[in-house]
Amino acid sequence: MLLTVNGRPRQIDVPDDESLLMTLRERLALTGAKAGCDRGECGACTVHVDGEPVYACLVLTRAIEGAHITTIEGLAATADVLHPVQRAFVSCDAVQCGFCTPGQVMAAVALLERSPSPTEAEIAEAMSGNLCRCGTYPSIRRAILEVVSSRAADPAVLP
């Protein structure tokens, strides 16, 4: 089957019952999406499928044949320059242990793509499916708002 992962076509052979998370981590060596709860409760495995955030642990790879997948590894335009949301997470110290960070960043990017200037309530709702055991929620909210502020000052700022 064919998937496009981080802009690169990937021809892979997977069992019918394999999750996208397993495919990404074990077959494609993309380990940014984490196996946390493995039942769609923690959000550590959040990736984008055709632009929408999904829990990779709940998606069967076979069910998304032909889809375009973006993982944290493919978020930045180049390997040398972080995505604006990644930069904001760093500058706001929103990373703590880092286990949930890839999923948090992917959820935040999806939020900012559909709502460029989210309210505090929209941020809370959009990020509610991503758990952080370190309790970094205030810093994560601050990072998202920093991207919003940066974009207001310079509309060319992504996402």
Side-chain angles (χ1 to χ4, degrees):
M1 68 177 288
L2 178 66
L3 292 176
T4 301
V5 181
N6 298 329
R8 181 176 164 201
R10 305 294 294 256
Q11 190 69 41
I12 54 175
D13 186 28
V14 298
D16 290 344
D17 62 347
E18 184 168 290
S19 72
L20 177 58
L21 179 61
M22 181 67 71
T23 301
L24 293 171
R25 291 184 60 83
E26 302 298 326
R27 296 186 188 279
L28 302 178
L30 296 169
T31 58
K34 302 294 188 255
C37 66
D38 206 27
R39 57 184 181 207
E41 294 179 0
C42 74
C45 63
T46 303
V47 299
H48 296 179
V49 174
D50 292 332
E52 295 295 322
V54 300
Y55 297 146
C57 69
L58 296 181
V59 175
L60 293 175
T61 303
R62 285 264 180 218
I64 58 167
E65 183 166 4
H68 291 256
I69 316 300
T70 304
T71 69
I72 193 74
E73 292 91 343
L75 193 58
T78 68
D80 299 338
V81 179
L82 293 176
H83 184 278
V85 173
Q86 291 172 308
R87 279 197 312 269
F89 268 61
V90 171
S91 71
C92 292
D93 197 23
V95 292
Q96 293 290 319
C97 80
F99 186 82
C100 71
T101 304
Q104 299 277 4
V105 168
M106 296 304 288
V109 168
L111 165 64
L112 293 169
E113 286 177 351
R114 71 177 174 272
S115 180
S117 296
T119 64
E120 289 271 352
E122 289 172 321
I123 293 171
E125 181 178 337
M127 302 305 291
S128 66
N130 293 77
L131 303 180
C132 174
R133 294 178 185 167
C134 303
T136 315
Y137 302 111
S139 298
I140 292 169
R141 278 193 299 279
R142 199 169 41 254
I144 293 168
L145 292 171
E146 182 175 291
V147 174
V148 171
S149 292
S150 297
R151 189 182 309 155
D154 180 4
V157 171
L158 298 173

PDB file of all heavy atoms in Angstrom, residues 34-52:
ATOM      1  N   LYS A  34       4.517   9.031  20.164  1.00  0.00           N
ATOM      2  CA  LYS A  34       4.806   8.106  21.266  1.00  0.00           C
ATOM      3  C   LYS A  34       3.654   7.157  21.535  1.00  0.00           C
ATOM      4  O   LYS A  34       2.489   7.514  21.366  1.00  0.00           O
ATOM      5  CB  LYS A  34       5.099   8.898  22.546  1.00  0.00           C
ATOM      6  CG  LYS A  34       6.243   9.867  22.425  1.00  0.00           C
ATOM      7  CD  LYS A  34       7.550   9.147  22.209  1.00  0.00           C
ATOM      8  CE  LYS A  34       8.720  10.076  22.286  1.00  0.00           C
ATOM      9  NZ  LYS A  34       9.300  10.381  21.000  1.00  0.00           N
ATOM     10  N   ALA A  35       4.010   5.970  21.994  1.00  0.00           N
ATOM     11  CA  ALA A  35       3.018   4.992  22.447  1.00  0.00           C
ATOM     12  C   ALA A  35       2.812   5.230  23.933  1.00  0.00           C
ATOM     13  O   ALA A  35       3.624   4.814  24.755  1.00  0.00           O
ATOM     14  CB  ALA A  35       3.509   3.576  22.178  1.00  0.00           C
ATOM     15  N   GLY A  36       1.757   5.944  24.261  1.00  0.00           N
ATOM     16  CA  GLY A  36       1.455   6.232  25.659  1.00  0.00           C
ATOM     17  C   GLY A  36       0.444   5.235  26.187  1.00  0.00           C
ATOM     18  O   GLY A  36       0.795   4.191  26.712  1.00  0.00           O
ATOM     19  N   CYS A  37      -0.815   5.546  26.012  1.00  0.00           N
ATOM     20  CA  CYS A  37      -1.882   4.695  26.538  1.00  0.00           C
ATOM     21  C   CYS A  37      -2.264   3.581  25.573  1.00  0.00           C
ATOM     22  O   CYS A  37      -2.805   2.568  25.982  1.00  0.00           O
ATOM     23  CB  CYS A  37      -3.103   5.538  26.857  1.00  0.00           C
ATOM     24  SG  CYS A  37      -3.872   6.268  25.381  1.00  0.00           S
ATOM     25  N   ASP A  38      -2.042   3.789  24.291  1.00  0.00           N
ATOM     26  CA  ASP A  38      -2.406   2.846  23.227  1.00  0.00           C
ATOM     27  C   ASP A  38      -3.910   2.593  23.167  1.00  0.00           C
ATOM     28  O   ASP A  38      -4.351   1.535  22.749  1.00  0.00           O
ATOM     29  CB  ASP A  38      -1.643   1.533  23.373  1.00  0.00           C
ATOM     30  CG  ASP A  38      -1.479   0.817  22.029  1.00  0.00           C
ATOM     31  OD1 ASP A  38      -1.462   1.503  20.988  1.00  0.00           O
ATOM     32  OD2 ASP A  38      -1.382  -0.424  22.030  1.00  0.00           O
ATOM     33  N   ARG A  39      -4.693   3.569  23.602  1.00  0.00           N
ATOM     34  CA  ARG A  39      -6.152   3.449  23.500  1.00  0.00           C
ATOM     35  C   ARG A  39      -6.841   4.807  23.295  1.00  0.00           C
ATOM     36  O   ARG A  39      -7.990   4.991  23.659  1.00  0.00           O
ATOM     37  CB  ARG A  39      -6.722   2.714  24.697  1.00  0.00           C
ATOM     38  CG  ARG A  39      -6.386   3.341  26.016  1.00  0.00           C
ATOM     39  CD  ARG A  39      -6.909   2.513  27.150  1.00  0.00           C
ATOM     40  NE  ARG A  39      -6.559   3.195  28.392  1.00  0.00           N
ATOM     41  CZ  ARG A  39      -6.387   2.590  29.528  1.00  0.00           C
ATOM     42  NH1 ARG A  39      -6.540   1.305  29.620  1.00  0.00           N
ATOM     43  NH2 ARG A  39      -6.090   3.268  30.598  1.00  0.00           N
ATOM     44  N   GLY A  40      -6.105   5.777  22.775  1.00  0.00           N
ATOM     45  CA  GLY A  40      -6.704   7.054  22.413  1.00  0.00           C
ATOM     46  C   GLY A  40      -7.091   7.954  23.559  1.00  0.00           C
ATOM     47  O   GLY A  40      -8.007   8.758  23.424  1.00  0.00           O
ATOM     48  N   GLU A  41      -6.393   7.873  24.656  1.00  0.00           N
ATOM     49  CA  GLU A  41      -6.731   8.723  25.789  1.00  0.00           C
ATOM     50  C   GLU A  41      -5.687   9.791  26.091  1.00  0.00           C
ATOM     51  O   GLU A  41      -6.006  10.796  26.704  1.00  0.00           O
ATOM     52  CB  GLU A  41      -6.944   7.868  27.043  1.00  0.00           C
ATOM     53  CG  GLU A  41      -8.151   6.977  26.932  1.00  0.00           C
ATOM     54  CD  GLU A  41      -8.356   6.114  28.161  1.00  0.00           C
ATOM     55  OE1 GLU A  41      -7.546   6.208  29.105  1.00  0.00           O
ATOM     56  OE2 GLU A  41      -9.318   5.348  28.165  1.00  0.00           O
ATOM     57  N   CYS A  42      -4.443   9.584  25.687  1.00  0.00           N
ATOM     58  CA  CYS A  42      -3.392  10.512  26.127  1.00  0.00           C
ATOM     59  C   CYS A  42      -2.922  11.477  25.046  1.00  0.00           C
ATOM     60  O   CYS A  42      -2.363  12.524  25.354  1.00  0.00           O
ATOM     61  CB  CYS A  42      -2.208   9.746  26.687  1.00  0.00           C
ATOM     62  SG  CYS A  42      -1.182   8.909  25.465  1.00  0.00           S
ATOM     63  N   GLY A  43      -3.082  11.151  23.772  1.00  0.00           N
ATOM     64  CA  GLY A  43      -2.696  12.054  22.696  1.00  0.00           C
ATOM     65  C   GLY A  43      -1.217  12.075  22.369  1.00  0.00           C
ATOM     66  O   GLY A  43      -0.793  12.840  21.500  1.00  0.00           O
ATOM     67  N   ALA A  44      -0.427  11.264  23.021  1.00  0.00           N
ATOM     68  CA  ALA A  44       1.020  11.267  22.768  1.00  0.00           C
ATOM     69  C   ALA A  44       1.360  10.816  21.345  1.00  0.00           C
ATOM     70  O   ALA A  44       2.451  11.083  20.854  1.00  0.00           O
ATOM     71  CB  ALA A  44       1.736  10.378  23.782  1.00  0.00           C
ATOM     72  N   CYS A  45       0.422  10.158  20.696  1.00  0.00           N
ATOM     73  CA  CYS A  45       0.664   9.637  19.347  1.00  0.00           C
ATOM     74  C   CYS A  45       0.018  10.506  18.267  1.00  0.00           C
ATOM     75  O   CYS A  45      -0.098  10.079  17.116  1.00  0.00           O
ATOM     76  CB  CYS A  45       0.138   8.215  19.248  1.00  0.00           C
ATOM     77  SG  CYS A  45      -1.653   8.101  19.481  1.00  0.00           S
ATOM     78  N   THR A  46      -0.372  11.725  18.600  1.00  0.00           N
ATOM     79  CA  THR A  46      -1.077  12.588  17.634  1.00  0.00           C
ATOM     80  C   THR A  46      -0.217  12.879  16.406  1.00  0.00           C
ATOM     81  O   THR A  46       0.928  13.300  16.516  1.00  0.00           O
ATOM     82  CB  THR A  46      -1.491  13.914  18.301  1.00  0.00           C
ATOM     83  OG1 THR A  46      -2.306  13.635  19.439  1.00  0.00           O
ATOM     84  CG2 THR A  46      -2.259  14.801  17.323  1.00  0.00           C
ATOM     85  N   VAL A  47      -0.791  12.624  15.252  1.00  0.00           N
ATOM     86  CA  VAL A  47      -0.193  12.974  13.959  1.00  0.00           C
ATOM     87  C   VAL A  47      -1.321  13.567  13.115  1.00  0.00           C
ATOM     88  O   VAL A  47      -2.478  13.549  13.523  1.00  0.00           O
ATOM     89  CB  VAL A  47       0.430  11.737  13.245  1.00  0.00           C
ATOM     90  CG1 VAL A  47       1.548  11.132  14.082  1.00  0.00           C
ATOM     91  CG2 VAL A  47      -0.624  10.704  12.902  1.00  0.00           C
ATOM     92  N   HIS A  48      -0.980  14.079  11.960  1.00  0.00           N
ATOM     93  CA  HIS A  48      -2.005  14.590  11.050  1.00  0.00           C
ATOM     94  C   HIS A  48      -2.197  13.607   9.901  1.00  0.00           C
ATOM     95  O   HIS A  48      -1.213  13.150   9.305  1.00  0.00           O
ATOM     96  CB  HIS A  48      -1.616  15.945  10.480  1.00  0.00           C
ATOM     97  CG  HIS A  48      -1.511  17.024  11.511  1.00  0.00           C
ATOM     98  ND1 HIS A  48      -1.152  18.308  11.199  1.00  0.00           N
ATOM     99  CD2 HIS A  48      -1.738  17.019  12.851  1.00  0.00           C
ATOM    100  CE1 HIS A  48      -1.152  19.054  12.295  1.00  0.00           C
ATOM    101  NE2 HIS A  48      -1.492  18.279  13.320  1.00  0.00           N
ATOM    102  N   VAL A  49      -3.444  13.284   9.610  1.00  0.00           N
ATOM    103  CA  VAL A  49      -3.798  12.475   8.446  1.00  0.00           C
ATOM    104  C   VAL A  49      -4.648  13.361   7.554  1.00  0.00           C
ATOM    105  O   VAL A  49      -5.724  13.817   7.979  1.00  0.00           O
ATOM    106  CB  VAL A  49      -4.563  11.195   8.844  1.00  0.00           C
ATOM    107  CG1 VAL A  49      -5.044  10.447   7.598  1.00  0.00           C
ATOM    108  CG2 VAL A  49      -3.692  10.295   9.709  1.00  0.00           C
ATOM    109  N   ASP A  50      -4.143  13.633   6.365  1.00  0.00           N
ATOM    110  CA  ASP A  50      -4.807  14.556   5.441  1.00  0.00           C
ATOM    111  C   ASP A  50      -5.167  15.860   6.145  1.00  0.00           C
ATOM    112  O   ASP A  50      -6.251  16.410   5.967  1.00  0.00           O
ATOM    113  CB  ASP A  50      -6.033  13.899   4.800  1.00  0.00           C
ATOM    114  CG  ASP A  50      -5.647  12.761   3.863  1.00  0.00           C
ATOM    115  OD1 ASP A  50      -4.534  12.796   3.289  1.00  0.00           O
ATOM    116  OD2 ASP A  50      -6.454  11.821   3.718  1.00  0.00           O
ATOM    117  N   GLY A  51      -4.259  16.336   6.980  1.00  0.00           N
ATOM    118  CA  GLY A  51      -4.405  17.623   7.631  1.00  0.00           C
ATOM    119  C   GLY A  51      -5.187  17.635   8.928  1.00  0.00           C
ATOM    120  O   GLY A  51      -5.275  18.660   9.589  1.00  0.00           O
ATOM    121  N   GLU A  52      -5.753  16.518   9.309  1.00  0.00           N
ATOM    122  CA  GLU A  52      -6.542  16.453  10.535  1.00  0.00           C
ATOM    123  C   GLU A  52      -5.775  15.708  11.617  1.00  0.00           C
ATOM    124  O   GLU A  52      -5.172  14.657  11.342  1.00  0.00           O
ATOM    125  CB  GLU A  52      -7.873  15.735  10.283  1.00  0.00           C
ATOM    126  CG  GLU A  52      -8.793  16.476   9.339  1.00  0.00           C
ATOM    127  CD  GLU A  52      -9.257  17.806   9.907  1.00  0.00           C
ATOM    128  OE1 GLU A  52      -9.526  17.906  11.112  1.00  0.00           O
ATOM    129  OE2 GLU A  52      -9.332  18.769   9.118  1.00  0.00           O
TER     130      GLU A  52
END
